[in-house]
Amino acid sequence: MTDQPVSSDATSRSLDPRATEFRGGRFALIDLYRASMQAGGGALIEGRRFVDCTIEGPALMLVLENVSFDRTNFGPTGGDMRNMLFRPMGDMGIGAIPVRDCTFTNCRFLTLGITGNDELLNMLIEQVKTVDDSLN
């Protein structure tokens, strides 16, 4: 497993697209996606572990199989988790960044929307507690 520190001004040129673990740092999901594609990793972020990271959008993350969120701060949601969720209209998620077999531990998302199957979306609505960030 490779630890990958990421600086706060990370771009696709400074991200190691082959790293399996990212600890700390701040980066845009699209930068990791692009770097991974350019390195031949395909159109999928897969088999990664993110710990203590701030992951930025704007982007839409398509959550596929075996993705877990542990102590994840989903960022400003206006006090309602549904504000960051998007329900697919068909059987594809064109334009979304697909993520599979990844864990997010103690991470923070900023302007990142999430889409996936109904089971995932319902679980997030029911189990994720949000705060009214309009008070902050």
Side-chain angles (χ1 to χ4, degrees), residues 84-103:
M84 69 177 300
L85 302 178
F86 295 83
R87 225 176 262 293
M89 301 301 291
D91 60 356
M92 296 176 74
I94 296 171
I97 298 172
V99 176
R100 179 174 49 211
D101 297 323
C102 292
T103 61

Side-chain angles (χ1 to χ4, degrees), residues 2-36 45-46 48-61 73 97-99 102-113:
T2 303
D3 285 348
Q4 174 62 37
V6 183
S7 66
S8 62
D9 62 347
T11 65
S12 60
R13 290 181 301 278
S14 63
L15 287 171
D16 178 359
R18 292 181 182 90
T20 58
E21 184 167 301
F22 294 83
R23 285 191 170 270
R26 182 179 187 138
F27 56 92
L29 186 63
I30 189 66
D31 289 340
L32 177 59
Y33 178 73
R34 282 185 183 141
S36 182
I45 295 174
E46 183 172 27
R48 311 295 176 89
R49 183 171 180 224
F50 301 89
V51 180
D52 299 324
C53 294
T54 297
I55 303 170
E56 300 177 343
L60 182 61
M61 179 191 300
N73 177 340
I97 298 172
V99 176
C102 292
T103 61
F104 297 88
T105 303
N106 202 39
C107 290
R108 181 170 187 228
F109 295 159
L110 294 175
T111 63
L112 195 64

